[in-house]
Amino acid sequence: MEKHLNNTSLFSKSAALTLVAVNVVLFFLTEALPSLRAYLSLNTVLIIRGRMYWQFISYMFVHASLMHLLGNMLGLVFFGTAVERSLGTKQFLILYFASGLASGALSFAVYAAAGMSRVFLLGASGAVYAVLLVFSVLFPRALIYLWGILPIPAPILVSIFALIEIFSQLFGADSGIAHTTHLFGFAAAWLYVRIRMKKSPLGLWKEAYKK
């Protein structure tokens, strides 16, 4: 069941673009004040001993590098604005923050269980991956041009990303990338589709390509 975007301008009132602006401002602020990045990132010791519970949300707004920021913000602009206009701002924000919170909380549980006290989780990737999956459900026939050249249907791209994250988590070297957090983002979005739309993403993808 594919929904169509209306004619609303990309740069009209948009929670997705507001999130981009907040992320950009905080990036330059944390570049000027590096200690703030550690304060806002998610760390098991700071949460358990320091009771810095806000880190379950604040980690989503800080990034490790300019490329890290650009990757997430491009995803939020291209996929987030489309999802917001289709679902409405309220549902988009529920999806975004619930997915980000769930990704952070599950990552926290993994780090705490593994005794990974020196890990600082940061970035909007978990929430952005969730938005990407929901985009692929709402617009299953949309083509995403990888590197601006190779057209890939949105469901195929999501599947490729998921397989890459699983493979990297199981067999990849320690790259500093939170692959489990990305997978938790996909899982949170999958649950959102099942609970909110009462359908399976796989079922919606198959339905779209039967037509």
Side-chain angles (χ1 to χ4, degrees):
M1 180 175 65
E2 185 168 356
K3 297 186 180 180
H4 297 281
L5 298 178
N6 57 35
N7 294 322
T8 305
S9 168
L10 177 66
F11 294 100
S12 62
K13 273 190 175 181
S14 170
L17 295 179
T18 300
L19 288 169
V20 170
V22 173
N23 275 273
V24 170
V25 169
L26 274 176
F27 175 76
F28 287 107
L29 188 58
T30 54
E31 284 291 290
L33 301 168
S35 60
L36 181 62
R37 181 178 288 118
Y39 191 74
L40 296 176
S41 300
L42 189 154
N43 175 265
T44 56
V45 173
L46 292 178
I47 289 176
I48 295 172
R49 298 180 184 175
R51 298 183 180 181
M52 297 182 181
Y53 303 122
W54 63 80
Q55 290 184 349
F56 285 113
I57 293 293
S58 64
Y59 88 94
M60 300 164 56
F61 292 93
V62 287
H63 290 81
S65 67
L66 184 58
M67 291 304 296
H68 188 203
L69 174 74
L70 286 175
N72 281 333
M73 294 308 99
L74 284 173
L76 198 46
V77 168
F78 289 114
F79 306 122
T81 52
V83 170
E84 181 183 355
R85 283 183 287 179
S86 184
L87 295 181
T89 297
K90 181 180 178 181
Q91 283 302 314
F92 168 74
L93 289 174
I94 289 173
L95 166 67
Y96 188 84
F97 282 104
S99 299
L101 179 60
S103 299
L106 290 169
S107 297
F108 167 84
V110 170
Y111 297 155
M116 300 168 66
S117 60
R118 296 185 179 181
V119 172
F120 285 81
L121 178 67
L122 69 169
S125 301
V128 171
Y129 271 54
V131 169
L132 173 59
L133 188 143
V134 173
F135 175 90
S136 75
V137 168
L138 295 172
F139 310 101
R141 291 181 175 272
L143 294 178
I144 300 166
Y145 286 81
L146 195 61
W147 302 301
I149 301 172
L150 183 63
I152 301 178
I156 299 299
L157 185 66
V158 167
S159 301
I160 291 172
F161 279 3
L163 289 173
I164 290 173
E165 295 299 334
I166 292 170
F167 182 86
S168 299
Q169 179 62 36
L170 293 176
F171 305 108
D174 184 10
S175 62
I177 298 174
H179 300 293
T180 52
T181 305
H182 299 169
L183 291 170
F184 289 147
F186 276 146
W190 194 280
L191 285 175
Y192 176 89
V193 174
R194 292 301 303 247
I195 294 169
R196 179 65 183 171
M197 301 180 183
K198 301 188 185 321
K199 291 193 176 183
S200 161
L202 279 176
L204 290 171
W205 291 339
K206 289 178 182 177
E207 182 182 333
Y209 282 90
K210 281 181 181 177
K211 298 177 181 178

